[in-house]
Amino acid sequence: MIGFTGARVDRADNLRLDEARLAELAAHEGARMMQLDGLDPVVDADGRLAWTAVASEGERIFLGLAGDVPLFAPLVRGDPLQRGNAFALLGSMPAEDAALWGGARSLIGWHGRHMFCGACGSATAPFRGGWGRRCGGCGADHFPRVDPVVIMLAEHEGRVLLARQPQYPPRRYSALAGFVEPGESVEEAVAREIREEAGIEVRNVRYVASQPWPFPGQLMMACVAEALSSELTLDLTELEHGFWASREEVAAALAGAPDASFLAPPRFAIAHSLLRHWVEQERR
Amino acid sequence: MIGFTGARVDRADNLRLDEARLAELAAHEGARMMQLDGLDPVVDADGRLAWTAVASEGERIFLGLAGDVPLFAPLVRGDPLQRGNAFALLGSMPAEDAALWGGARSLIGWHGRHMFCGACGSATAPFRGGWGRRCGGCGADHFPRVDPVVIMLAEHEGRVLLARQPQYPPRRYSALAGFVEPGESVEEAVAREIREEAGIEVRNVRYVASQPWPFPGQLMMACVAEALSSELTLDLTELEHGFWASREEVAAALAGAPDASFLAPPRFAIAHSLLRHWVEQERR
């Protein structure tokens, strides 16, 4: 399972505009509210997400229906750019719980950055069960933002390009990544980012998989591309070091081998899934 | 070539924060400013984008370098939700010009919707050569928004699901599509949208290709998915009619045959490319 995917919830978007029905669902004795510590998850003794009854007061977002159970999350304030303790908890959380929490975190964080209307500057208020904000001045509707990001392995003669940013934990290396800009496709963004960050031209960009990333709200699209050369010209404003890793090196890192040449990305990051895909699926 | 891809420009993002250098480039006698009619393109006698000298006054965005030629576009006001006359011109415009214009249109339209800071409501001003806005109040930086959208063919026994929205031109049918929400992958969004709009469950979602779509600023990701059944329950709030089209019907529509059973999407839409891919590549 790719990290932050597999939430077992029917988003029931057809109910979002039905405020009376949402109020009924929230008042339902079986309804559940996700517990949060700021924007971090709260877990029970089993490492599962913790839930409480739905308070009658306070803003909330409607996450959807888990079978018959209406799920909500509190519309708390918190800085979505701060990661808090989430990484430590995510390592042992079931994928479906991480996915549900991740979606809630992204949506809640979006609210905090969109309290005012970008078009006219007036205050906005939530609507659609939390899946939008409406401007009290000009009436413009605003919808949750998801930022598409490409994350990719350039491949050359059986090795892939890995790099580290200065803020990574010691020995951690990962795939290159960058935001998709207006006016470019996924494939064009992959080629541009590898060119900008490593000075390498690529061809044959192939999409592999995707994941939502809740820090604060990206859609990560993982790709593999064929590098035309291997001499690196790293963008040292973004990257500290880069190297071409062999299948054996990547396999050792994914296995957590003590003598691995680098520390792999955490399992809930799609960079991990992408490296695993490359080791297992891309033998040619 | 997929529509709105293939712009022949180096975005030169390393120059965006260098205001002195951008001013030099704009003052360069070879620099060129894209001509716009509102947000619509202006074309010359050959159907190519029209360019003028760069005026010393007025806000502008830096598109990048075409070889040695610095390219800019004026930061005009215009409603990005209005399409104007663009569709008529795009049909005969070279792909590289459509791509360059599309990126500029998306970026300019984004500015108009982000004149104020979502976090504090203060006025924002452009920076990074137009690839961002900075808040004059809280100092928050805002970056261009790109909305990921899935567009997909559900496939069942050699036919694909096509549908039409009420506002389409007569006889026009296309693939289903919808915005990717926070907390879901591309593949999950595809499955959710087909379920919501057509009542069909799918598996084996496969990514095909992507394009930027400048009305106002989407990233379209085209997929094919295997439908588990064929009985349609259409969401009539979004769709007017749907049907399962055979390869022969799709091929006739793509060829513009007068007796085709429907009118295909325009060539610059990725729905067109997706249908062509399905007809040509997906024979199994």
Side-chain angles (χ1 to χ4, degrees):
Chain A
M1 181 70 78
I2 294 171
F4 302 110
T5 69
R8 294 193 190 165
V9 66
D10 170 6
R11 290 170 178 242
D13 80 320
N14 57 317
L15 302 179
R16 289 175 185 168
L17 279 170
D18 188 345
E19 289 190 25
R21 181 79 182 120
L22 288 183
E24 269 180 28
L25 289 172
H28 189 279
E29 65 172 346
R32 286 294 172 264
M33 179 85 92
M34 186 182 289
Q35 278 195 271
L36 291 173
D37 172 16
L39 294 177
D40 277 354
V42 175
V43 296
D44 64 18
D46 298 324
R48 302 293 306 257
L49 281 178
W51 299 82
T52 63
V54 179
S56 55
E57 302 292 310
E59 289 184 325
R60 57 186 171 244
I61 61 179
F62 174 58
L63 298 176
L65 302 170
D68 290 340
V69 179
L71 299 181
F72 295 86
L75 195 37
V76 296
R77 299 294 162 81
D79 181 353
L81 300 179
Q82 294 298 319
R83 284 195 188 172
N85 198 37
F87 267 37
L89 297 170
L90 286 167
S92 55
M93 191 183 292
E96 65 190 83
D97 284 15
L100 204 49
W101 169 77
R105 185 196 199 277
S106 291
L107 187 54
I108 294 167
W110 172 79
H111 280 275
R113 297 262 298 178
H114 294 79
M115 306 295 284
F116 298 89
C117 176
C120 80
S122 302
T124 61
F127 80 127
R128 296 185 82 236
W131 293 86
R133 296 185 72 89
R134 179 164 283 170
C135 176
C138 70
D141 288 344
H142 301 278
F143 297 99
R145 174 169 172 154
V146 174
D147 287 307
V149 168
V150 288
I151 181 165
M152 54 268 167
L153 295 174
E155 184 178 25
H156 190 261
E157 295 180 355
R159 292 170 184 260
V160 288
L161 177 56
L162 300 179
R164 61 173 275 112
Q165 298 175 14
Q167 70 272 25
Y168 281 0
R171 301 181 56 239
R172 164 73 49 77
Y173 280 77
S174 189
L176 298 182
F179 288 96
V180 179
E181 294 191 344
E184 64 184 2
S185 67
V186 167
E187 292 74 14
E188 289 176 323
V190 165
R192 177 183 55 75
E193 285 288 343
I194 298 175
R195 186 184 306 122
E196 287 175 3
E197 297 193 4
I200 299 277
E201 297 292 326
V202 300
R203 63 183 175 194
N204 291 340
V205 177
R206 283 166 292 141
Y207 171 95
V208 173
S210 67
Q211 81 168 165
W213 182 252
F215 307 101
Q218 292 88 319
L219 173 67
M220 311 294 296
M221 289 171 293
C223 299
V224 176
E226 183 184 337
L228 303 186
S229 62
S230 65
E231 191 179 343
L232 300 178
T233 307
L234 291 182
D235 176 359
L236 295 174
T237 64
E238 299 212 4
L239 301 174
E240 188 176 82
H241 182 243
F243 75 106
W244 295 93
S246 70
R247 278 203 164 70
E248 292 67 28
E249 284 177 281
V250 172
L254 291 173
D259 61 347
S261 58
F262 69 98
L263 191 67
R267 272 190 306 167
F268 53 81
I270 200 168
H272 188 105
S273 307
L274 178 61
L275 286 168
R276 187 169 296 285
H277 166 85
W278 180 70
V279 166
E280 294 177 356
Q281 308 291 326
E282 298 261 332
R283 294 190 182 278
R284 288 183 295 189
Chain B
M1 179 71 78
I2 293 171
F4 302 111
T5 68
R8 293 194 190 165
V9 66
D10 170 5
R11 290 170 178 243
D13 80 319
N14 58 317
L15 302 180
R16 290 175 184 167
L17 278 170
D18 188 343
E19 289 190 26
R21 181 79 182 117
L22 288 183
E24 268 180 29
L25 289 172
H28 189 280
E29 64 172 346
R32 286 294 173 264
M33 179 85 92
M34 186 183 290
Q35 277 195 272
L36 291 173
D37 172 16
L39 293 177
D40 277 355
V42 175
V43 296
D44 63 19
D46 297 325
R48 303 291 308 256
L49 280 178
W51 300 83
T52 62
V54 179
S56 55
E57 302 293 309
E59 290 184 324
R60 59 186 170 243
I61 60 178
F62 173 57
L63 298 176
L65 302 170
D68 290 341
V69 179
L71 299 182
F72 295 86
L75 194 38
V76 295
R77 298 295 160 79
D79 181 353
L81 300 179
Q82 294 298 319
R83 283 193 189 176
N85 197 37
F87 266 37
L89 296 170
L90 286 167
S92 54
M93 191 183 292
E96 65 189 84
D97 283 16
L100 204 49
W101 170 76
R105 185 196 199 276
S106 291
L107 186 54
I108 294 167
W110 171 79
H111 280 276
R113 299 262 298 179
H114 294 80
M115 306 295 285
F116 298 89
C117 176
C120 81
S122 302
T124 60
F127 80 127
R128 297 185 81 237
W131 294 86
R133 296 186 72 87
R134 180 163 282 170
C135 176
C138 70
D141 288 344
H142 301 278
F143 297 99
R145 173 169 173 154
V146 174
D147 287 306
V149 168
V150 288
I151 180 164
M152 55 268 167
L153 296 174
E155 184 178 26
H156 191 262
E157 296 181 354
R159 293 171 183 258
V160 287
L161 177 57
L162 299 179
R164 59 174 276 113
Q165 298 175 15
Q167 69 272 24
Y168 281 1
R171 300 181 53 237
R172 163 73 49 77
Y173 280 77
S174 189
L176 298 182
F179 289 95
V180 178
E181 294 191 342
E184 65 185 1
S185 66
V186 167
E187 293 74 14
E188 289 176 324
V190 165
R192 177 183 55 75
E193 285 287 344
I194 299 176
R195 186 184 308 121
E196 287 175 4
E197 297 193 3
I200 299 278
E201 296 292 326
V202 301
R203 64 184 174 194
N204 291 340
V205 177
R206 283 167 292 140
Y207 172 95
V208 174
S210 67
Q211 80 167 167
W213 182 250
F215 306 102
Q218 293 89 319
L219 174 66
M220 310 294 296
M221 288 170 294
C223 298
V224 176
E226 184 184 337
L228 302 186
S229 62
S230 63
E231 191 179 343
L232 299 178
T233 307
L234 292 182
D235 176 359
L236 295 174
T237 63
E238 299 213 3
L239 301 174
E240 188 176 81
H241 182 243
F243 76 105
W244 295 93
S246 69
R247 279 203 164 69
E248 291 69 26
E249 284 177 282
V250 173
L254 291 174
D259 62 345
S261 59
F262 69 98
L263 190 69
R267 273 190 306 168
F268 53 81
I270 200 167
H272 188 105
S273 307
L274 178 61
L275 285 168
R276 187 169 297 285
H277 166 87
W278 180 70
V279 166
E280 295 177 355
Q281 309 289 328
E282 297 260 332
R283 294 191 182 277
R284 289 184 294 187

